Protein backbone atom coordinates (compact mmCIF):
# COMPACT_ATOMS: atom_id res chain seq x y z
CA UNK A 1 0.00 0.00 0.00
CA UNK A 2 1.33 3.45 -0.87
CA UNK A 3 2.23 5.69 2.04
CA UNK A 4 0.25 8.59 0.57
CA UNK A 5 -2.61 8.21 -1.91
CA UNK A 6 -4.41 10.87 -3.89
CA UNK A 7 -7.14 10.93 -6.50
CA UNK A 8 -5.19 11.98 -9.59
CA UNK A 9 -8.18 13.85 -11.07
CA UNK A 10 -8.27 15.89 -13.15
CA UNK A 11 -10.84 18.10 -11.47
CA UNK A 12 -12.16 20.45 -14.14
CA UNK A 13 -14.03 23.39 -12.62
CA UNK A 14 -15.26 26.77 -13.88
CA UNK A 15 -13.83 29.99 -12.51
CA UNK A 16 -15.45 30.94 -9.24
CA UNK A 17 -16.34 27.37 -8.29
CA UNK A 18 -15.28 25.54 -5.16
CA UNK A 19 -13.21 22.40 -5.51
CA UNK A 20 -12.15 20.00 -2.79
CA UNK A 21 -10.14 16.82 -2.71
CA UNK A 22 -8.63 14.45 -0.18
CA UNK A 23 -5.47 12.55 0.45
CA UNK A 24 -5.12 9.44 2.61
CA UNK A 25 -2.01 8.30 4.43
CA UNK A 26 -1.17 4.85 5.73
CA UNK A 27 1.19 5.48 8.65
CA UNK A 28 -0.70 6.46 11.78
CA UNK A 29 2.55 7.72 13.31
CA UNK A 30 2.86 10.43 10.66
CA UNK A 31 3.87 13.62 12.37
CA UNK A 32 2.85 16.53 10.19
CA UNK A 33 1.17 17.29 6.92
CA UNK A 34 1.49 19.73 4.06
CA UNK A 35 0.12 20.67 0.67
CA UNK A 36 2.53 21.56 -2.11
CA UNK A 37 1.63 23.05 -5.49
CA UNK A 38 3.38 22.02 -8.69
CA UNK A 39 2.79 23.78 -11.99
CA UNK A 40 3.25 21.83 -15.20
CA UNK A 41 6.89 20.80 -15.69
CA UNK A 42 8.02 23.02 -12.79
CA UNK A 43 9.31 22.39 -9.28
CA UNK A 44 6.95 21.87 -6.31
CA UNK A 45 6.44 24.74 -3.87
CA UNK A 46 4.98 24.67 -0.39
CA UNK A 47 1.37 25.88 -0.41
CA UNK A 48 0.48 25.44 3.24
CA UNK A 49 0.93 23.34 6.33
CA UNK A 50 -2.05 21.44 7.69
CA UNK A 51 -2.78 21.87 11.39
CA UNK A 52 -4.88 19.59 13.59
CA UNK A 53 -7.52 22.23 14.07
CA UNK A 54 -7.73 23.01 10.37
CA UNK A 55 -6.43 26.21 8.86
CA UNK A 56 -7.12 28.73 6.13
CA UNK A 57 -4.86 30.74 3.91
CA UNK A 58 -6.97 33.09 1.85
CA UNK A 59 -9.14 30.99 -0.46
CA UNK A 60 -7.47 27.74 0.62
CA UNK A 61 -8.65 25.64 3.55
CA UNK A 62 -6.85 22.54 4.80
CA UNK A 63 -8.27 19.97 7.19
CA UNK A 64 -6.76 16.99 8.98
CA UNK A 65 -8.65 13.94 10.20
CA UNK A 66 -6.25 11.79 12.18
CA UNK A 67 -8.87 9.18 13.09
CA UNK A 68 -9.57 8.41 9.44
CA UNK A 69 -6.04 9.28 8.32
CA UNK A 70 -6.81 11.78 5.64
CA UNK A 71 -6.21 15.42 4.88
CA UNK A 72 -8.19 17.64 2.57
CA UNK A 73 -7.74 20.81 0.58
CA UNK A 74 -10.59 23.09 -0.42
CA UNK A 75 -10.19 25.95 -2.87
CA UNK A 76 -12.92 28.59 -2.90
CA UNK A 77 -13.66 31.06 -5.69
CA UNK A 78 -11.27 29.25 -8.07
CA UNK A 79 -9.04 31.35 -10.30
CA UNK A 80 -7.45 30.36 -13.60
CA UNK A 81 -4.11 30.64 -11.82
CA UNK A 82 -5.11 27.86 -9.42
CA UNK A 83 -4.68 25.34 -12.25
CA UNK A 84 -1.89 23.08 -11.05
CA UNK A 85 -1.15 19.72 -9.48
CA UNK A 86 -1.51 19.65 -5.71
CA UNK A 87 0.79 17.29 -3.85
CA UNK A 88 -0.11 15.88 -0.47
CA UNK A 89 2.99 15.54 1.71
CA UNK A 90 3.35 13.70 5.00
CA UNK A 91 6.30 13.98 7.39
CA UNK A 92 7.16 10.53 8.71
CA UNK A 93 10.15 11.44 10.85
CA UNK A 94 12.78 14.15 11.21
CA UNK A 95 14.30 13.40 7.83
CA UNK A 96 11.65 11.91 5.62
CA UNK A 97 8.79 13.43 3.70
CA UNK A 98 6.50 11.16 1.75
CA UNK A 99 4.87 12.68 -1.35
CA UNK A 100 1.61 11.74 -2.99
CA UNK A 101 1.45 11.56 -6.79
CA UNK A 102 -0.73 14.66 -6.91
CA UNK A 103 -4.23 15.80 -7.78
CA UNK A 104 -4.56 17.87 -10.95
CA UNK A 105 -6.95 20.81 -10.93
CA UNK A 106 -7.88 22.66 -14.10
CA UNK A 107 -9.88 25.87 -13.79
CA UNK A 108 -11.60 26.96 -17.00
CA UNK A 109 -12.81 30.41 -17.98
CA UNK B 1 18.57 36.31 -5.40
CA UNK B 2 18.93 33.25 -3.18
CA UNK B 3 17.90 29.91 -4.53
CA UNK B 4 18.82 26.51 -5.89
CA UNK B 5 20.30 26.11 -9.33
CA UNK B 6 20.21 22.82 -11.15
CA UNK B 7 21.97 22.09 -14.41
CA UNK B 8 21.54 20.99 -17.04
CA UNK B 9 17.83 21.49 -17.43
CA UNK B 10 17.58 18.84 -20.14
CA UNK B 11 20.01 16.00 -20.72
CA UNK B 12 20.13 13.11 -23.15
CA UNK B 13 22.30 10.13 -22.43
CA UNK B 14 23.09 6.91 -24.18
CA UNK B 15 22.67 3.66 -22.31
CA UNK B 16 25.78 2.68 -20.41
CA UNK B 17 26.96 6.24 -19.78
CA UNK B 18 27.29 7.91 -16.40
CA UNK B 19 25.95 11.44 -16.08
CA UNK B 20 26.32 14.01 -13.31
CA UNK B 21 23.59 16.49 -12.42
CA UNK B 22 24.68 19.68 -10.72
CA UNK B 23 22.91 21.27 -7.75
CA UNK B 24 24.12 24.52 -6.15
CA UNK B 25 22.41 26.56 -3.43
CA UNK B 26 23.18 29.96 -1.95
CA UNK B 27 20.55 29.79 0.79
CA UNK B 28 23.12 28.72 3.41
CA UNK B 29 21.01 25.64 4.13
CA UNK B 30 22.61 22.67 5.84
CA UNK B 31 20.43 19.91 4.42
CA UNK B 32 20.12 18.99 0.76
CA UNK B 33 18.12 16.30 -1.01
CA UNK B 34 17.76 14.57 -4.35
CA UNK B 35 14.37 13.33 -5.49
CA UNK B 36 13.19 11.58 -8.60
CA UNK B 37 9.73 12.20 -10.08
CA UNK B 38 8.05 9.81 -12.53
CA UNK B 39 4.61 10.20 -14.10
CA UNK B 40 1.84 9.01 -11.81
CA UNK B 41 4.17 8.62 -8.84
CA UNK B 42 5.07 10.80 -5.93
CA UNK B 43 8.57 12.17 -5.48
CA UNK B 44 10.95 9.48 -4.28
CA UNK B 45 14.03 10.24 -2.19
CA UNK B 46 17.35 9.16 -3.68
CA UNK B 47 19.91 10.62 -1.27
CA UNK B 48 20.03 13.28 1.37
CA UNK B 49 22.76 15.15 3.20
CA UNK B 50 22.27 16.82 6.57
CA UNK B 51 25.69 18.41 6.67
CA UNK B 52 28.91 18.76 4.70
CA UNK B 53 30.87 15.53 4.19
CA UNK B 54 27.91 13.39 5.22
CA UNK B 55 25.08 11.84 3.22
CA UNK B 56 22.56 9.05 3.59
CA UNK B 57 20.76 6.75 1.18
CA UNK B 58 17.12 7.40 0.56
CA UNK B 59 14.52 4.94 -0.66
CA UNK B 60 15.90 4.41 -4.17
CA UNK B 61 19.68 4.96 -3.96
CA UNK B 62 20.70 2.00 -6.13
CA UNK B 63 22.47 3.14 -9.29
CA UNK B 64 23.11 6.65 -7.96
CA UNK B 65 25.97 8.33 -6.12
CA UNK B 66 26.45 11.74 -4.49
CA UNK B 67 29.08 13.84 -2.80
CA UNK B 68 28.88 16.76 -0.37
CA UNK B 69 32.30 18.36 -0.27
CA UNK B 70 30.93 21.90 0.05
CA UNK B 71 27.87 23.21 1.81
CA UNK B 72 26.65 24.84 -1.40
CA UNK B 73 26.97 21.84 -3.68
CA UNK B 74 25.34 18.40 -3.85
CA UNK B 75 25.92 16.78 -7.25
CA UNK B 76 24.15 13.56 -8.24
CA UNK B 77 25.71 10.98 -10.54
CA UNK B 78 23.38 8.64 -12.38
CA UNK B 79 25.46 5.59 -13.14
CA UNK B 80 25.04 2.95 -15.81
CA UNK B 81 23.85 0.61 -13.05
CA UNK B 82 20.58 2.58 -12.74
CA UNK B 83 18.18 0.43 -14.75
CA UNK B 84 15.54 3.02 -15.55
CA UNK B 85 17.15 6.46 -15.34
CA UNK B 86 14.78 8.45 -17.54
CA UNK B 87 13.02 10.79 -15.11
CA UNK B 88 12.68 14.32 -13.74
CA UNK B 89 15.30 14.90 -11.04
CA UNK B 90 14.73 17.51 -8.35
CA UNK B 91 17.28 18.87 -5.92
CA UNK B 92 16.06 20.53 -2.74
CA UNK B 93 17.33 22.07 0.46
CA UNK B 94 15.84 22.75 3.87
CA UNK B 95 16.59 25.42 6.41
CA UNK B 96 17.17 22.94 9.23
CA UNK B 97 19.07 19.66 9.21
CA UNK B 98 15.88 17.75 8.57
CA UNK B 99 12.37 18.35 7.41
CA UNK B 100 10.78 19.49 10.65
CA UNK B 101 9.16 22.50 9.03
CA UNK B 102 8.09 20.47 6.02
CA UNK B 103 9.37 23.16 3.74
CA UNK B 104 11.75 22.13 1.01
CA UNK B 105 13.11 24.63 -1.49
CA UNK B 106 13.42 22.98 -4.88
CA UNK B 107 15.51 23.73 -7.91
CA UNK B 108 13.83 23.86 -11.32
CA UNK B 109 14.77 20.25 -12.01
CA UNK B 110 16.79 18.32 -14.55
CA UNK B 111 14.99 16.19 -17.11
CA UNK B 112 17.11 13.18 -18.06
CA UNK B 113 16.28 11.04 -21.07
CA UNK B 114 18.16 7.88 -21.86
CA UNK B 115 18.17 7.03 -25.56
Amino acid sequence: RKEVEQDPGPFNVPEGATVAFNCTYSNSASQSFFWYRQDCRKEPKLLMSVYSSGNEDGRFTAQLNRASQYISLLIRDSKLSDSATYLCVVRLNDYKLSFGAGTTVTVRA
Amino acid sequence: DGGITQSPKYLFRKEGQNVTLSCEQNLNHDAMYWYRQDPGQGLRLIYYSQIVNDFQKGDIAEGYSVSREKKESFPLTVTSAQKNPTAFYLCASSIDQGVLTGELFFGEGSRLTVL
Side-chain angles (χ1 to χ4, degrees), chain A residues 61-75:
Chain A
T61 301
Q63 299 275 1
L64 166 64
N65 185 318
R66 278 196 184 271
S68 301
Q69 294 185 201
Y70 74 85
I71 68 173
S72 64
L73 183 66
L74 181 145
I75 308 172

Side-chain angles (χ1 to χ4, degrees), chain B:
Chain B
D1 280 9
I4 298 184
T5 302
Q6 288 187 240
S7 64
K9 211 164 184 175
Y10 299 94
L11 185 62
F12 296 89
R13 186 195 96 174
K14 291 183 181 177
E15 277 193 34
Q17 288 181 334
N18 291 357
V19 62
T20 296
L21 308 180
S22 168
C23 177
E24 304 278 329
Q25 55 104 353
N26 60 4
L27 298 167
N28 200 33
H29 288 173
D30 283 318
M32 296 186 75
Y33 310 82
W34 273 105
Y35 286 90
R36 168 183 172 139
Q37 188 173 35
D38 295 280
Q41 295 193 45
L43 275 68
R44 292 182 290 167
L45 183 63
I46 305 172
Y47 269 97
Y48 67 97
S49 168
Q50 296 165 246
I51 204 162
V52 176
N53 292 323
D54 184 58
F55 50 83
Q56 308 293 332
K57 291 182 179 180
D59 298 320
I60 56 164
E62 186 174 349
Y64 300 98
S65 65
V66 293
S67 62
R68 187 85 188 277
E69 296 174 4
K70 298 186 300 182
K71 187 175 186 177
E72 304 80 19
S73 180
F74 191 41
L76 173 74
T77 296
V78 184
T79 75
S80 56
Q82 168 47 235
K83 294 192 186 332
N84 189 17
T86 294
F88 187 43
Y89 290 89
L90 287 158
C91 179
S93 69
S94 60
I95 200 165
D96 55 17
Q97 288 189 357
V99 291
L100 294 176
T101 67
E103 183 164 21
L104 295 179
F105 296 83
F106 286 91
E108 291 188 340
S110 293
R111 202 166 291 275
L112 172 64
T113 303
V114 173
L115 304 171

Side-chain angles (χ1 to χ4, degrees), chain A residues 25-90:
Chain A
Y25 60 94
S26 60
N27 190 335
S28 59
S30 298
Q31 297 179 357
S32 45
F33 309 88
F34 312 89
W35 285 104
Y36 273 68
R37 172 195 168 121
Q38 186 173 23
D39 293 320
C40 189
R41 300 179 79 81
K42 298 282 193 180
E43 74 275 22
K45 293 183 181 176
L46 180 65
L47 178 68
M48 59 196 298
S49 302
V50 185
Y51 302 124
S52 298
S53 53
N55 50 298
E56 276 190 21
D57 184 359
R59 297 179 293 104
F60 296 82
T61 301
Q63 299 275 1
L64 166 64
N65 185 318
R66 278 196 184 271
S68 301
Q69 294 185 201
Y70 74 85
I71 68 173
S72 64
L73 183 66
L74 181 145
I75 308 172
R76 283 189 305 278
D77 187 24
S78 300
K79 312 289 185 196
L80 294 176
S81 57
D82 294 334
S83 297
T85 297
Y86 293 86
L87 308 180
C88 173
V89 182
V90 173

